[in-house]
Amino acid sequence: MLALIAVASALALAFATPAALADDIPRAPGHRLVDAYEGAPATARPVPGDAPDQHPYLAPNGRSGMHADGAGSGTHPFSGPLGRDPQVSSEKMAAVGGECATATFDAGGRLVTVCGTFSGFLLKLLDPRTLETLAEYKLPQRSSTVEAITRLDFEKIFKDTSGGAYFYLDHQDRVVLADSRQHVLRIAHRQKADGAWEFVVENDWDLTPLVPHDCVSWTNLFPSGVCDPITSVMPDYDGRVWWVTRLGRVGTVDPATGTLRSVRLDGEEIQNSFSVARDGVSIVSDHALYSFRADPDGTPRIQWRQTYDRGTGTKPGSVNQGSGTTPDLFGVGDAYVAITDNADDRMNVLVYRRGGDVRDAERLVCKVPVFRSGASTTDNSLISWGNSLVVENNYGYENPTTLTFGRSVVGGATRIDVRPDGSGCDTVWESDVRSPSTVPKLSTANGLLYFYEKQPNPLGVDAWYLTAVDFRTGQRAWSRLTGTGPAYDNNWAPITIGPDGTAYVGVFNGIVAVRDGG
């Protein structure tokens, strides 16, 4: 505990600045030595195409989860900031940590998010303009946090995707998540008679009969059994809640009866979220891509399985030895699913045909190598729109200490299009944008891609920018400084475009908002 206090004190001093307001995320020294704005305002040019099907058990597309919709497209139907005098605000959520990763929006436009702190995850309802906390619900502390503190191995926190980081907002504005106790919760929020807001747990499904749960805690520092954290949850088109665990368990909950079912992918890990369409549930492990459906009793059943090149080890910029992507379901008529592999030299973007009757030899549409030799990986989902995919390079990023003292990653982003006749894929453009670890997004309403960028700085200033890139050409439009120092590192959190046009970014110390001025 003394070590934790020392770390907390050091970080607090490093981030402190007299100019910071009480609730702002403090900026490290050097923000006056870098440009606050580069480029020029863009003109909105909507991108034609059909949006993914609206999932019947999710909040409207663009509002429901980390990847914006059930198909995992990473697209928002709202126009994000165009770069007209963009204004930045922020909200600090904890003395140390506090990152608000997944951001969703209820029917009233309020932010619903989960923020990670050393004392446990916090489910929060935020005012979308002021970022003021309207309601809060404390989730249990993750075992990885206890391990990090007691064993001084903070890497465990940065590579743990469990405990509620992946959650979704359902069609009734309820949060559905899996906490660190191996329970799936369905939580509503409501306004009381006095005008205050509160969270209310409507359902609590205990998965411990199916999931090993001898996990590290303050009362169980040296467990002898197995701990299998639940990574993510998503609903299928029949309303079942699907869940996956780090150690390869795939299961369902029937919300009407509470019936639990599961299967095990022996020897495989699942560290990403997953995607859902009418034709099934797409899950990628560190060995293979799967399509599942549920039997009448809810038991997950494999429709097809496709292995990929998982390489010979974990690259810097990857959480484990496997694909770092959540599957993207795209194309007309349930046509395609896309992931990346973990090939040793250059990672490949892989596009497959989704049909259950497709022969294994005909399933692969294309395999496209991306980025430079020996420096190519991603641990973030692709963006998919129409027959286009966008991938970013995360090679070299490990945690918020990786990029201190002005350092950055090699970076890069690439757009790949599937040919109209399905005969293969072509590279459309390559960008040198350096986006170390964000889940980028596309605003289909204005044609801009949004990345969270950090350029190398010879003066040692760690400056973070929201950068807009033209989807059609790959050219930078503009960049706006959000802040300086490790507190502004997003550490795998996504960019999210809100219904009012604000771009939100979860960062190490809380959340940042960027919106056009005027």
Side-chain angles (χ1 to χ4, degrees), residues 54-78:
Q54 174 59 52
H55 193 300
Y57 292 94
L58 287 177
N61 287 351
R63 294 175 178 252
S64 63
M66 181 175 290
H67 301 300
D69 48 52
S73 75
T75 66
H76 292 277
F78 323 116

Side-chain angles (χ1 to χ4, degrees), residues 452-463:
Y452 197 56
E453 188 172 27
K454 185 178 189 291
Q455 293 286 349
N457 187 283
L459 300 177
V461 179
D462 297 316

Side-chain angles (χ1 to χ4, degrees), residues 116-137:
T117 74
F118 278 101
S119 63
F121 278 10
L122 300 173
L123 174 61
K124 283 180 169 281
L125 182 70
L126 304 180
D127 183 287
R129 302 297 292 187
T130 67
L131 303 180
E132 174 191 359
T133 296
L134 304 176
E136 181 177 288
Y137 180 85

Side-chain angles (χ1 to χ4, degrees), residues 397-411:
Y397 183 86
E398 296 278 14
N399 59 58
T401 68
T402 307
L403 303 184
T404 53
F405 307 109
R407 294 173 292 178
S408 189
V409 294
V410 294

Side-chain angles (χ1 to χ4, degrees), residues 406-428:
R407 294 173 292 178
S408 189
V409 294
V410 294
T414 299
R415 174 179 158 185
I416 294 165
D417 283 10
V418 181
R419 295 171 192 154
D421 63 0
S423 62
C425 304
D426 300 297
T427 298
V428 177

